[in-house]
């Protein structure tokens, strides 16, 4: 392993070249210079080998050594990942802080996971058992709510020849030994390695027919996403991408959240750290950090590591998926990742395609999103990886290459709208531009769990919003006074939908997460008023008499007035509305 | 062993190429001595074997292929730091230009800095009272934040920045801990002078460190200016525990300097000819704002940038907006109406505001009021666009109320005197007063309890003229 070594020839930013060498292989991980900066081989020809360095290259000089590792860029997988925060190449930031202080110095070499910590391991196999790749040979509690399941690396199988007892072990202790059919012995430890750019194998892909419940009304009801699905959140700056990602990370019903802060703000990451350690997960009663992995490669950290951070996050997510968990990965933002690709491609003097992005941008994006899915694991469990990627279009222009290509490879599109954000309508998801392709996959689930009505209500609400949008074209030209009462009612109702239903207050204790049942009842209340009012207007009573009753305002505030725990109050609300309306027809 | 390399191999824009150089390292500093005795400074930006490319800060004018002797200085670009830098004036490359001689350094720091570990950051929560209603109430500036001013040429961004410096009070600390780092990049001589004079008048000059790269100074130096300034700011904040306000103007000139340098290096251009790494480069500056554990100081940045052609989608404001924690956008139309500061409320935003206001910081009703003001003012825009089609007369009564609200809002809330220093409570009360001119049913972002407390039911009792009086009699704390 130490044998392959060579020296630097040229340096240009994060790109380092080696001349006349046959030492390294493509995508091999290397250490550059005396301070052992982490790098990766990204190009080889007969004259030059090109290395992408994941850290600042200031101070490197020609003749400095480059050490090969013999394998591709990989991450260490084992207990201790959850409740941790890593940079783009899985270096633990807390441990680095202890070592080098508040600012990250270069070449900080710290093991990704704590090698000294003792884990309380329970062995699940006995001597003579036949183990295939992906099968679980032991478990240990990783956090209070997550059980870590140790799996045989997918490439290995064989018969158990030696087993340790249950007890406390360190990460690199061998607890099970197996012998494969060629008679080779493999030691199974508490950790394994996996190359980040390679998807982990699974037994079978399953259909995307279970929704990922987020508690966000506009997402759950209007544009639902499936477990194992892919979604994109595009939006210009200030439209609330990060806010939405945070909300999803806090409330969606995945078992584990991998949050990748890719080229974003440092203060945002410290906010996530602060908030998640204070927030208590309502389902488990434990802090959110007990089920969260953070990857923080902020915008001022090296650009090459930013490119890797997405894959690192994905590999960690797949590892937990293979244990049989539902994992959701938030990537904020994929545009920064695409820009990192562009930046490196520029340094390599590759021929640029659209807007300077490399021609392989679409294929990289599709490779990334295709690693999502609900699957049967090699050990027969069910797990999923859901990818939710934020996109930051340049100049808020959705026609730019990253947004356009992302649109092709994701099935759910939550388009954020600047004008909604300016009016502080949050979440600023535009209901006209967004879409979800999961409706047909998920409708059976909704039908079964929430009844036929749910879908009926949703369709009606969507129809009303579309009708309003068409009417607004007219209103913009001639004002709303000239519309017939029936159309005025549509506008009033749509306003109640927008303010009362679509808008959701992330800072309100009840409104930040709303169960599906309440979402359904809210729709029911709105449509109830709409239908009743329609009858009253048909009896030639002017709409102004209805609006005077203040019922629409009541609908706008029902999200605050009715606690999540008291759905029966909707019956009272509807009865109240009926009573008020009855005064008009008496 | 110190070697001088005689002559150069190639000259291209601000770059020179040297051959047969031994032992050079990436980003090493070099001195270039011309035959006429002048010394220029440069930095190695690319190495290929023994061929090195050097960026000359002062430009390559009058350099020929063989009139130079180049010496490698065996260290990267560093800034000399000591507490004495307060009150001093430096060039864009960090050399003193005020005639008081060299700084005797307590330490030297690489101007590129090192990235702050996200784990070590303290999430910023304390607001800075700027005394400006629109900023304090709607886009609250938080200590440790980076909040740029997006402006256009000819608008009053400099006045606004000076007013912020003059009035900025940090909610919970003693004043003597406060200082300003000012980085001028490609600004006009008059503008730099205006800032200097204004700092002097408000008595803060002895707590200001200035880095000046004027419009006619070399562009390579300009790419170093913000880095020098931020290195000084980090030193003052994290080693001397001061609260540092960094004003950087004009970021557009900086980005253009970067573009010029990039194209002379022959790099592949991205959008509008700016290099593909503009985002990472800007981020390496803006991300140096913040607070870290183990220090009580903070770096707060107010970068100013002029949007070419007032276009907010231009790469520089666009990328800046993606990195910074919000923005204050100035509007030419408001400026035309004589409103100062001409803050365009709707696109302005402070991302850190939500955690630095409310109970314990400003006032418990702050967030609700801000939401409602935004929502109401957004409605004003709808009413206005409708009025421009069908005429104001034809508007519905509610829309007319909004039109009136819009006018009052701009006249009394946005507009305020250049020397007027409003307390945040005063601004919040004014906000409620303005909202009370709208029917109570329209205020759907606020819950009833707050309305009961703050909504003024009697429309006749709402007067704004007392505010005008206050404006003239307001005395300044400075």
């Amino acid at each position: 392993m130490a044998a392959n070594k060579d020296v630097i020839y040229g340096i240009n930013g994060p790109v380092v070249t080696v001349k006349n060498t046959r030492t390294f292989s493509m995508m091999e991980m290397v250490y550059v210079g005396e301070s052992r900066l982490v790098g990766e081989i990204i190009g080889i020809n007969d004259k030059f080998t090109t290395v992408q360095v994941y850290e600042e290259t200031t101070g490197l000089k020609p003749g400095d050594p480059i050490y090969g590792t013999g394998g591709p860029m990989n991450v260490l997988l084992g207990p201790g990942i959850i409740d941790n925060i890593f940079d783009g190449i899985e270096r633990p930031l807390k441990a680095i802080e202890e070592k080098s202080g508040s600012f990250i110095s270069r070449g900080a070499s710290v093991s990704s996971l704590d090698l000294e910590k003792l884990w309380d391991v329970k062995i699940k196999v006995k001597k003579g058992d036949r183990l295939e790749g992906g099968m679980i040979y032991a478990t240990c509690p990783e956090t209070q709510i997550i059980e870590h399941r140790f799996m045989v690396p997918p490439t290995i199988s064989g018969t158990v020849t030696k087993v340790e007892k249950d007890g406390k072990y360190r990460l690199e202790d061998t607890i099970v030994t197996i012998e494969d059919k060629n008679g080779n012995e493999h030691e199974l430890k508490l950790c394994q390695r996996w190359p980040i750019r390679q998807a982990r194998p699974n037994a079978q892909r399953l259909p995307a027919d279970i929704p990922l419940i987020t508690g966000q009304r506009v997402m759950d009801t209007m544009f639902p996403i499936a477990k194992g699905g892919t979604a994109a959140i595009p939006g210009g700056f200030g439209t609330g991408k990060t806010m939405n990602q945070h909300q999803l990370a806090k409330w969606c019903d995945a078992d584990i959240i991998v949050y990748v802060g890719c080229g974003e703000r440092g203060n945002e990451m410290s906010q996530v750290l602060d908030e998640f350690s204070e927030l208590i997960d309502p389902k488990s009663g434990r802090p959110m950090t007990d089920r969260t992995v953070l990857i923080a490669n902020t915008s001022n950290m090296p650009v090459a590591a930013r490119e890797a951070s997405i894959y690192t996050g994905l590999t960690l997510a797949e590892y937990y998926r293979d244990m049989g968990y539902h994992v959701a990965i938030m990537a904020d933002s994929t545009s920064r990742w695409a820009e990192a690709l562009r930046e490196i491609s520029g340094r390599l003097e590759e021929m640029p395609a659209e807007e300077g992005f490399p021609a392989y941008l679409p294929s990289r994006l599709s490779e990334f999103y295709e690693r999502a899915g609900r699957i049967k694991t090699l050990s027969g469990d069910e797990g999923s990886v859901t990818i939710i990627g934020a996109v930051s279009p340049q100049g808020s222009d959705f026609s730019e290459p990253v947004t356009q290509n992302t649109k092709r490879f994701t099935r759910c599109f939550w388009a954020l709208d600047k004008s909604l954000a300016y009016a502080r309508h949050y979440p600023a998801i535009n209901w006209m531009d967004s879409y979800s392709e999961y409706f047909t996959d998920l409708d059976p689930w909704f039908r079964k769990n929430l009844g036929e009505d749910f879908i009926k209500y949703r369709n009606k609400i969507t129809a009303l919003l579309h009708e309003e949008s068409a009417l607004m074209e007219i209103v913009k030209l001639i004002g709303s006074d000239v519309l017939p009462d029936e159309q005025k009612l549509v506008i009033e109702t749509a306003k109640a939908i927008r303010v009362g239903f679509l808008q959701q207050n992330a800072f309100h204790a009840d409104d930040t997460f709303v169960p599906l049942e309440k979402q359904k009842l809210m729709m029911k209340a709105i449509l109830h008023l709409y239908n009743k009012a329609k009858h009253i207007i048909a009896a030639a009573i002017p709409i102004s008499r209805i609006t005077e009753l203040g019922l629409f305002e009541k609908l706008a505030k029902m999200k605050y007035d009715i606690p999540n725990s008291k759905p029966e109050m909707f019956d009272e609300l509807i009865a109240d509305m009926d009573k008020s309306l009855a005064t008009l027809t008496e | 062993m110190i070697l001088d390399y005689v002559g150069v191999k190639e000259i291209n824009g601000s770059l020179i190429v040297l051959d047969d150089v031994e032992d050079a390292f990436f980003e090493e500093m070099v001195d270039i001595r011309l035959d006429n005795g002048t010394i220029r400074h440069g930095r190695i930006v690319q190495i290929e074997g023994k061929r090195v490319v050097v960026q000359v800060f002062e430009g390559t004018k009058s350099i020929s292929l063989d009139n130079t002797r180049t010496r490698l200085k065996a260290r990267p670009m560093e800034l000399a730091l000591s507490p004495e830098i307060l009150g001093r004036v430096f060039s864009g490359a960090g050399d003193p230009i005020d005639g008081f001689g060299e700084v005797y350094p307590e330490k030297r720091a690489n101007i590129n800095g090192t990235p702050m570990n996200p784990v070590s950051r303290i999430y910023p929560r304390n607001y800075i009272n700027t005394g400006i209603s629109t900023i304090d109430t709607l886009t609250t500036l938080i200590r440790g934040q980076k909040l740029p001013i997006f402006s256009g040429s000819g608008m009053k961004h400099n006045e606004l920045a000076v007013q912020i410096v003059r009035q900025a009070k940090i909610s919970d600390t003693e004043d003597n801990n406060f200082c300003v780092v000012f980085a001028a990049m490609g600004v006009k001589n008059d503008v730099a002078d205006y800032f200097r004079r204004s700092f002097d008048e408000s008595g803060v000059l002895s707590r200001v460190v200035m880095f000046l790269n004027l419009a006619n100074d070399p562009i390579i130096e300009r790419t170093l200016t913000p880095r020098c300034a931020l290195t000084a700011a980090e030193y003052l904040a994290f080693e001397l525990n001061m609260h540092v306000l960094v004003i950087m103007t004009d970021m557009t000139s900086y980005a253009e300097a970067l573009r010029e340098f990039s194209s002379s290096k022959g790099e592949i251009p991205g959008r509008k000819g700016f290099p593909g790494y503009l985002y990472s480069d800007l981020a390496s500056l803006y991300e140096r704002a913040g607070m870290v554990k183990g220090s009580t100081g903070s770096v707060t940045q107010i970068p100013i940038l002029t949007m070419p052609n007032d276009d907010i989608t231009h790469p520089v404001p666009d990328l800046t907006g993606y990195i910074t924690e919000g923005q204050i956008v100035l509007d030419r139309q408001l400026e035309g109406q004589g409103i100062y500061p001409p803050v365009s409320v709707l696109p302005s935003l402070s991302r850190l505001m939500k955690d630095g206001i409310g109970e314990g910081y400003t006032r418990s009703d702050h967030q609700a009021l801000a939401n409602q003001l935004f929502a109401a003012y957004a409605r004003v825009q709808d009413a206005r666009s409708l009025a421009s089609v069908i005429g104001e007369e034809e508007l519905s009564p509610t829309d007319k109320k909004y039109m009136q609200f819009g006018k009052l809002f701009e006249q009394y809330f946005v507009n305020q005197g250049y020397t007027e220093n409003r307390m945040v409570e005063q601004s919040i009360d004014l906000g409620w007063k303005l909202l009370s001119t709208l029917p109570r049913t329209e205020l759907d972002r606020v819950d009833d309890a707050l309305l009961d407390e703050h909504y003024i039911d009697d429309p006749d009792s709402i007067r704004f003229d007392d505010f005008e009086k206050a404006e003239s009699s307001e005395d300044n704390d400075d």
Side-chain angles (χ1 to χ4, degrees):
Chain A
M1 186 161 139
N4 48 358
K5 177 185 158 184
D6 217 303
V7 295
I8 296 178
Y9 175 74
I11 306 144
N12 180 12
V15 174
V16 166
T17 48
V18 186
K19 204 176 175 183
N20 295 333
T21 178
R22 296 185 177 270
T23 318
F24 305 112
S25 56
M26 198 65 181
M27 304 321 272
E28 181 175 342
M29 184 172 153
V30 295
Y31 294 108
V32 180
E34 295 300 351
S35 47
R36 295 176 76 88
L37 313 177
V38 178
E40 188 173 358
I41 305 287
I42 54 169
I44 298 178
N45 62 32
D46 59 350
K47 281 207 188 75
F48 294 107
T49 296
T50 312
V51 187
Q52 161 179 323
V53 183
Y54 290 113
E55 297 175 68
E56 278 291 329
T57 47
T58 304
L60 288 181
K61 53 176 130 177
D64 278 357
I66 297 185
Y67 306 94
T69 61
M73 186 75 198
N74 58 45
V75 287
L76 185 65
L77 301 168
I81 291 175
I82 307 249
D83 192 15
N84 212 333
I85 173 165
F86 301 103
D87 77 351
I89 45 175
E90 212 207 8
R91 290 187 304 177
L93 290 172
K94 280 180 197 156
I96 288 184
E97 184 191 28
E98 275 162 32
K99 205 173 167 188
S100 70
S102 302
F103 293 86
I104 300 171
S105 58
R106 296 182 307 145
S109 75
V110 180
S111 164
S112 300
L113 302 172
D114 191 343
L115 298 177
E116 294 307 313
K117 188 166 175 179
L118 289 166
W119 298 96
D120 203 359
V121 179
K122 280 205 167 48
I123 310 280
K124 297 280 177 190
V125 292
K126 56 185 189 301
K127 205 170 162 183
D129 279 358
R130 168 92 193 140
L131 286 182
E132 299 291 338
M135 283 170 78
I136 292 160
Y137 57 86
T139 63
C140 82
E142 182 168 358
T143 65
Q144 298 236 9
I145 50 175
I146 301 294
E147 179 195 59
H148 197 99
R149 297 163 192 156
F150 299 98
M151 296 167 291
V152 181
T155 47
I156 299 175
S157 61
T159 314
V160 177
T161 53
K162 216 164 98 193
V163 180
E164 298 293 329
K165 286 193 194 65
D166 288 0
K168 290 191 184 293
Y169 295 95
R170 288 191 182 82
L171 211 59
E172 291 194 323
D173 293 339
T174 302
I175 51 172
V176 173
T177 310
I178 60 175
E179 191 184 274
D180 64 18
K181 60 178 188 289
N182 301 327
N184 297 325
E185 287 219 324
H186 298 276
E187 295 182 334
L188 301 181
K189 303 177 176 177
L190 301 193
C191 60
Q192 56 179 292
R193 290 192 163 271
W194 190 263
I196 59 170
R197 294 179 203 278
Q198 192 182 337
R200 285 176 63 90
N202 57 62
Q204 187 193 342
R205 268 184 95 93
L206 300 171
D209 53 10
I210 301 174
L212 182 80
I213 297 160
T214 65
Q216 312 302 307
R217 287 186 292 263
V218 61
M219 294 175 182
D220 283 350
T221 308
M222 309 277 295
F223 310 105
I225 179 175
K227 284 206 172 81
T230 50
I233 313 183
F237 58 85
T239 49
K241 284 182 303 295
T242 305
M243 200 56 218
N244 274 314
Q245 294 268 37
H246 287 192
Q247 280 299 97
L248 287 169
K250 283 181 209 163
W251 302 115
C252 79
D253 69 339
D255 302 315
I256 290 168
I257 306 290
V258 179
Y259 193 98
V260 186
C262 170
E264 288 287 316
R265 305 174 183 88
N267 279 336
E268 254 164 27
M269 290 321 290
S270 73
Q271 181 195 358
V272 172
L273 279 174
D274 262 26
E275 266 184 17
F276 281 31
S277 49
E278 282 165 19
L279 258 179
I280 301 297
D281 180 8
K283 283 171 297 206
S284 61
R286 297 285 311 157
M288 288 286 178
T289 39
D290 271 16
R291 62 159 199 171
T292 312
V293 189
L294 288 175
I295 302 206
N297 211 89
T298 55
S299 53
N300 56 338
M301 283 154 79
V303 63
R306 190 197 303 165
E307 195 264 334
S309 66
I310 291 267
Y311 297 104
T312 302
L314 207 43
T315 308
L316 300 185
E318 282 177 345
Y319 178 61
Y320 282 94
R321 174 201 71 186
D322 291 349
M323 293 180 203
Y325 289 112
H326 294 288
V327 188
I329 168 168
M330 319 285 154
D332 186 14
S333 131
T334 56
S335 293
R336 304 292 158 243
W337 168 71
E339 273 163 21
L341 279 183
R342 173 167 72 184
E343 211 174 308
I344 294 157
S345 160
R347 304 257 187 210
L348 296 175
E349 295 173 0
E350 290 171 341
M351 183 69 94
E354 259 180 300
E355 297 210 16
F357 285 105
Y360 46 76
L361 174 72
S363 62
R364 292 286 172 87
L365 273 170
S366 61
E367 270 168 34
F368 168 64
Y369 282 109
E370 279 303 296
R371 280 173 79 170
R374 192 165 73 91
I375 55 111
K376 207 167 121 189
T377 66
L378 294 177
S379 59
D381 286 333
E382 184 192 312
S384 70
V385 171
T386 311
I387 302 182
I388 297 164
V391 183
S392 322
Q394 305 167 353
S396 309
D397 170 15
F398 284 6
S399 66
E400 58 93 40
V402 182
T403 319
Q404 279 310 312
N405 285 313
T406 304
K407 227 172 165 174
R408 288 164 53 205
F409 306 120
T410 57
R411 293 187 62 197
C412 195
F413 192 73
W414 294 320
L416 298 178
D417 186 326
K418 219 169 194 166
S419 57
L420 289 176
Y422 283 178
R424 302 311 190 255
H425 172 121
Y426 292 124
I429 294 176
N430 184 314
W431 49 91
M432 301 300 289
D433 298 342
S434 305
Y435 61 79
S436 166
E437 292 175 14
Y438 291 109
F439 279 130
T440 38
D441 299 327
L442 295 176
D443 275 0
W445 187 94
F446 280 112
R447 213 166 266 141
K448 195 173 138 217
N449 290 280
L450 290 154
E452 198 64 49
D453 286 349
F454 187 86
I455 295 166
K456 215 171 71 195
Y457 294 155
R458 178 223 290 151
N459 293 346
K460 184 65 196 167
I461 289 225
T462 315
L464 280 170
L465 286 170
H466 277 81
E467 205 175 327
E468 185 215 19
S469 156
L471 287 174
M472 283 321 264
E473 297 291 313
I474 306 173
V475 172
K476 261 186 212 147
L477 291 176
I478 55 169
S480 62
D481 277 357
V482 292
L483 291 181
D485 273 3
E486 207 167 303
Q487 293 186 338
K488 276 186 193 156
L489 176 64
V490 171
I491 290 188
E492 280 297 327
T493 311
K495 190 180 155 202
I497 296 172
R498 281 189 282 120
V499 179
F501 188 76
L502 297 180
Q503 263 181 35
Q504 193 164 351
N505 188 343
F507 305 113
H508 189 279
D510 260 332
D511 206 33
T512 185
F513 173 88
V514 179
L516 283 177
E517 188 62 30
K518 183 177 170 189
Q519 299 188 17
K520 178 180 152 187
L521 291 169
M522 287 175 81
M523 290 195 284
K524 184 179 171 188
I526 294 169
L527 291 172
H528 182 81
L529 178 60
Y530 172 72
N531 289 329
K532 283 271 164 152
K534 211 160 129 186
H535 282 298
I536 293 171
I537 288 169
I541 293 172
I543 186 170
S544 53
R545 303 257 328 259
I546 305 175
T547 48
E548 276 163 14
L549 295 172
L551 296 177
F552 287 105
E553 284 77 18
K554 238 184 210 162
L555 287 181
K557 288 184 177 160
M558 65 183 164
K559 54 186 167 191
Y560 304 131
D561 294 343
I562 302 180
N564 290 347
S565 53
K566 290 190 177 150
E568 65 278 4
M569 281 174 73
F570 278 98
D571 293 335
E572 290 166 35
L573 177 74
I574 287 172
D576 273 357
M577 290 198 297
D578 283 345
K579 221 194 281 164
S580 302
L581 289 171
T583 58
L584 296 179
T585 45
E586 267 162 15
Chain B
M1 179 183 63
I2 293 170
L3 272 178
D4 276 0
Y5 296 94
V6 180
V8 300
K9 180 108 186 299
E10 203 178 307
I11 305 169
N12 176 11
S14 59
L15 301 175
I16 58 173
V17 179
L18 303 176
D19 228 341
D20 287 323
V21 180
E22 299 280 351
D23 240 15
F25 65 79
F26 190 60
E27 304 220 306
E28 182 172 357
M29 294 295 293
V30 300
D31 278 351
I32 302 146
R33 182 185 293 271
L34 266 63
D35 281 351
N36 61 16
T38 55
I39 294 182
R40 297 195 189 173
H41 307 282
R43 177 169 63 168
I44 294 177
V45 291
Q46 197 177 336
I47 305 178
E48 268 170 64
K50 290 183 174 178
R51 178 177 178 272
V52 303
V53 181
V54 176
Q55 171 192 48
V56 185
F57 300 155
E58 292 89 348
T60 49
K61 206 168 124 193
S62 74
I63 291 182
S64 78
L65 288 181
D66 41 29
N67 68 352
T68 62
R69 305 170 79 83
T70 308
R71 178 176 294 181
L72 303 185
K73 300 187 69 171
R75 58 177 175 84
M77 175 87 192
E78 285 173 333
L79 189 70
L81 294 167
S82 92
E84 292 164 34
I85 58 173
L86 281 174
R88 300 289 305 268
V89 183
F90 299 88
S91 75
D95 299 315
I97 52 170
D98 51 5
F100 296 122
E102 291 288 321
V103 170
Y104 181 72
E106 270 190 5
K107 70 173 276 187
R108 290 178 173 277
N110 185 335
I111 62 159
N112 285 330
T114 41
M116 223 181 257
N117 190 329
V119 184
S120 309
R121 279 183 187 266
I122 301 175
Y123 184 59
R125 282 179 191 275
N126 282 313
Y127 79 105
I128 298 177
N129 192 348
T130 64
I132 295 164
S133 290
T134 35
I135 297 180
D136 286 349
T137 321
L138 300 173
T139 49
T140 317
L141 177 64
I142 307 287
R143 196 161 72 197
Q145 185 175 21
K146 39 197 178 293
L147 189 65
I149 299 176
F150 287 8
S151 181
S153 12
M155 286 206 274
K156 291 206 169 65
H157 42 266
N158 294 331
E159 282 80 352
L160 181 59
V162 165
Q163 191 176 4
I164 293 175
V165 168
R166 185 152 31 86
Q167 300 181 171
K169 271 207 244 32
I170 291 166
S171 47
D172 66 338
T173 47
E174 60 283 13
D175 270 339
N176 60 2
N177 223 356
F178 174 76
C179 67
V180 176
V181 172
F182 177 76
M185 291 156 282
V187 302
K188 294 171 285 258
N189 232 309
D190 294 345
V191 174
D193 197 47
Y194 170 76
F195 273 101
R196 207 196 57 78
R197 223 172 39 237
S198 307
F199 292 149
D200 198 9
E201 276 161 17
S202 48
V204 293
L205 197 59
S206 62
R207 334 206 105 257
V208 178
V209 191
M210 293 181 110
F211 291 86
L212 300 181
N213 171 275
L214 303 176
N216 54 352
D217 286 339
I219 64 121
I220 298 302
E221 203 180 280
R222 197 167 300 159
T223 61
L224 304 174
T225 310
R227 293 190 163 77
C228 292
L230 288 164
T231 306
E234 280 175 351
Y235 169 74
L236 293 169
F238 304 136
E239 296 195 19
L240 304 184
N241 293 322
M242 301 180 97
H243 293 298
V244 188
L245 189 64
V246 185
I247 296 189
M248 305 193 283
T249 179
D250 169 345
M251 292 308 290
T252 309
S253 305
Y254 167 78
E256 279 164 1
L258 203 65
R259 173 169 68 183
E260 195 176 326
F261 167 56
S262 160
S263 80
S264 71
K265 248 169 102 183
E267 290 170 339
I268 294 167
R271 210 157 38 123
K272 291 217 170 158
F274 287 100
Y277 51 79
L278 183 62
Y279 177 84
S280 303
D281 190 277
L282 288 175
S284 71
L285 302 176
Y286 295 139
E287 276 295 317
R288 290 170 81 173
M291 292 190 280
V292 294
K293 289 173 190 159
S295 150
T296 56
S298 65
V299 176
T300 310
Q301 286 184 14
I302 303 185
I304 299 174
L305 57 90
T306 50
M307 299 181 280
N309 204 16
D310 293 352
D311 176 13
I312 199 169
T313 64
H314 182 277
V316 180
D318 190 41
L319 295 179
T320 299
Y322 277 122
I323 306 163
T324 55
E325 284 133 357
Q327 63 276 339
I328 296 170
V329 184
L330 302 190
D331 181 57
R332 202 172 287 279
Q333 222 182 335
L334 285 176
E335 166 128 347
Q337 292 166 21
I339 289 170
Y340 171 86
V343 175
S344 179
V345 167
L346 294 180
S348 299
L349 169 82
S350 164
R351 288 165 193 273
L352 300 182
M353 161 176 179
K354 60 184 189 302
D355 295 306
I357 62 168
E359 196 78 63
Y361 300 103
T362 55
R363 230 169 73 174
S364 56
D365 54 334
H366 188 158
Q367 183 71 54
L369 171 88
N371 286 345
Q372 187 62 62
L373 277 177
F374 274 123
Y377 193 58
R379 258 305 288 278
V380 172
Q381 307 307 316
D382 292 344
R384 280 188 182 158
S385 61
L386 186 55
S388 69
V389 180
I390 60 171
E392 215 173 318
E393 283 304 300
E394 301 295 314
L395 290 178
S396 69
T398 321
D399 279 344
K400 279 186 186 150
K401 288 262 188 206
Y402 272 109
M403 292 291 283
Q404 191 208 354
F405 165 78
K407 246 179 249 157
L408 289 170
F409 179 77
E410 284 162 8
Q411 203 55 44
Y412 294 105
F413 193 85
V414 180
N415 192 21
Q416 79 179 72
Y418 173 59
T419 53
E420 185 184 351
N421 191 353
R422 292 186 193 158
M423 296 313 290
V424 67
E425 294 80 10
Q426 207 181 350
S427 300
I428 292 175
D429 285 338
L430 178 58
W432 284 114
K433 217 188 232 184
L434 283 161
L435 286 176
S436 302
T437 63
L438 291 171
R440 187 171 160 148
T441 46
E442 286 295 315
L443 307 181
D444 51 17
R445 303 292 175 94
V446 192
D447 61 37
D448 284 330
L450 275 179
L451 281 180
D452 288 342
E453 195 181 331
H454 298 286
Y455 188 78
I456 304 165
D457 286 308
D458 176 14
D460 295 327
S461 70
I462 304 170
R463 297 193 175 282
F464 295 98
D465 40 3
D466 53 326
F467 232 91
E468 282 171 297
K469 251 179 269 151
E471 215 168 283
S472 48
S473 66
E474 178 83 38
D475 54 3
N476 262 300
D477 296 52
D478 296 298

